[in-house]
Amino acid sequence: MSFSSFSDFANQCKDTIDRELVDIVGELSIPNTLKEAMLYSLEAGGKRIRPLLIFAVLASFQKDVKIGIPAACAIEMIHTYSLIHDDLPSMDNDDLRRGKPTNHIVFGEAMAILAGDALLTHSFEVLSKEIGNVSPEIQISLIRLISNAAGASGMVGGQVADIEGENKQLSLEELRYVHNHKTGKLLVASVMAGAILSNTSSEQAYHLERFAEHVGIAFQIKDDILDIEGKEELIGKKVGSDIANQKSTYPSLLGLEGAKDMLAREVSSAKDHVTKTGLNAPLLHALIDLIAKRNH
């Protein structure tokens, strides 16, 4: 995969993942309704930030980005399952996702739950298949990394903290815990998957992990800001849902300008850690700018 600019890189990577995800599910011998439900959410669009992070790290180490495709697909399948379940009436009760009716609105609650379950479990089969020039030991490291990020110590634990924090005034530290786990852990896993596949030094791995943690917080702050300032037709869901659900957010704790200031600090810290890796990594700098400046 060769590219002439960040935009070209992002488009090529997104097209690759979109195609691979459809192929992965399309080849399964499963009930048609389940396949349709899985593909419905996988094909709903999205920025594919997590795969882009994997590929950007690999490119920064001059590695063939194709070795990151299985991990990128697995993480995107896990992310998609989490969105399907997040939208359920028992959770956030959303009826729009990326401008389309949510999975349970189209297929019913039971099928939406099963589609999410199928995406989660199949992601680990994808990770376990042979990858050219990648040792079984590295594959096991990837499985351990991603399962930890997705489970009780990561995304699921963050979702629990998010639910228990509804209708409460969380402190900034409590809010950071929620988002470090609910959103941040899978973003960190994406960066560290690229690091594992690139065989980085321990010092480089340290700075990449810190970079990813700041990216995760920046991502969530921007989401909170868009829930106030965003346009529904761009973000694909109702604006103001955080306020309606009485959720603590960075703007509710810091004010809108305070949240924007914090976003700028997180972006600056993320870029500092990229610099400290010693890498020539314009793609990672461009990605943090994409996250901070996005309008959806």
Side-chain angles (χ1 to χ4, degrees), residues 153-172:
S153 298
M155 183 177 67
V156 173
Q159 181 65 55
V160 170
D162 189 34
I163 290 170
E164 292 182 341
E166 289 179 2
N167 304 313
K168 294 179 183 176
Q169 183 70 38
L170 299 182
S171 67
L172 193 58

Side-chain angles (χ1 to χ4, degrees), residues 115-152:
D117 292 345
L119 286 168
L120 172 61
T121 51
H122 194 61
S123 69
F124 290 100
E125 183 174 343
V126 171
L127 277 173
S128 68
K129 290 182 178 179
E130 185 177 342
I131 306 169
N133 299 321
V134 175
S135 70
E137 290 78 14
I138 286 178
Q139 285 186 264
I140 290 170
S141 294
L142 290 172
I143 291 168
R144 185 181 296 116
L145 169 79
I146 293 169
S147 59
N148 179 269

Side-chain angles (χ1 to χ4, degrees), residues 26-235:
E27 68 185 14
L28 295 176
S29 297
I30 59 176
N32 284 337
T33 306
L34 177 59
K35 183 177 290 189
E36 289 171 9
M38 293 166 72
L39 288 172
Y40 178 81
S41 291
L42 285 173
E43 294 183 300
K47 296 168 285 295
R48 308 298 191 203
I49 293 292
R50 292 153 191 83
L52 283 175
L53 285 166
I54 293 177
F55 294 142
V57 172
L58 286 167
S60 298
F61 283 95
Q62 311 298 312
K63 300 292 183 180
D64 181 359
V65 299
K66 289 181 180 177
I67 65 172
I69 288 175
C73 287
I75 288 176
E76 198 64 14
M77 291 168 76
I78 292 169
H79 173 58
T80 302
Y81 119 77
S82 75
L83 299 181
I84 294 173
H85 284 192
D86 220 23
D87 291 334
L88 289 166
S90 58
M91 303 278 266
D92 286 353
N93 195 25
D94 284 325
D95 54 13
L96 278 180
R97 168 71 66 179
R98 294 170 178 162
K100 297 171 62 176
T102 46
N103 198 291
H104 69 273
I105 295 293
V106 177
F107 295 95
E109 288 182 47
M111 191 57 62
I113 292 169
L114 292 169
D117 292 345
L119 286 168
L120 172 61
T121 51
H122 194 61
S123 69
F124 290 100
E125 183 174 343
V126 171
L127 277 173
S128 68
K129 290 182 178 179
E130 185 177 342
I131 306 169
N133 299 321
V134 175
S135 70
E137 290 78 14
I138 286 178
Q139 285 186 264
I140 290 170
S141 294
L142 290 172
I143 291 168
R144 185 181 296 116
L145 169 79
I146 293 169
S147 59
N148 179 269
S153 298
M155 183 177 67
V156 173
Q159 181 65 55
V160 170
D162 189 34
I163 290 170
E164 292 182 341
E166 289 179 2
N167 304 313
K168 294 179 183 176
Q169 183 70 38
L170 299 182
S171 67
L172 193 58
E173 183 179 355
E174 289 170 329
L175 185 62
R176 197 174 183 104
Y177 175 90
V178 169
H179 295 137
N180 267 335
H181 290 75
K182 182 180 176 181
T183 304
K185 287 288 187 179
L186 217 53
L187 290 166
V188 171
S190 301
V191 171
M192 298 315 293
I196 288 170
L197 288 164
S198 299
N199 194 27
T200 62
S201 70
S202 58
E203 184 177 357
Q204 287 173 321
Y206 170 82
H207 288 297
L208 284 170
E209 188 167 8
R210 300 292 84 74
F211 156 78
E213 288 170 351
H214 288 295
V215 166
I217 294 299
F219 188 95
Q220 188 58 52
I221 296 171
K222 185 63 177 181
D223 258 9
D224 289 353
I225 291 170
L226 287 174
D227 192 62
I228 297 171
E229 295 186 333
K231 292 181 171 57
E232 187 172 323
E233 62 271 21
L234 291 177
I235 63 176

Side-chain angles (χ1 to χ4, degrees), residues 220 223-224 227 238-249:
Q220 188 58 52
D223 258 9
D224 289 353
D227 192 62
K238 293 177 182 177
V239 174
S241 61
D242 289 336
I243 296 172
N245 292 329
Q246 296 183 294
K247 285 190 172 184
S248 293
T249 64

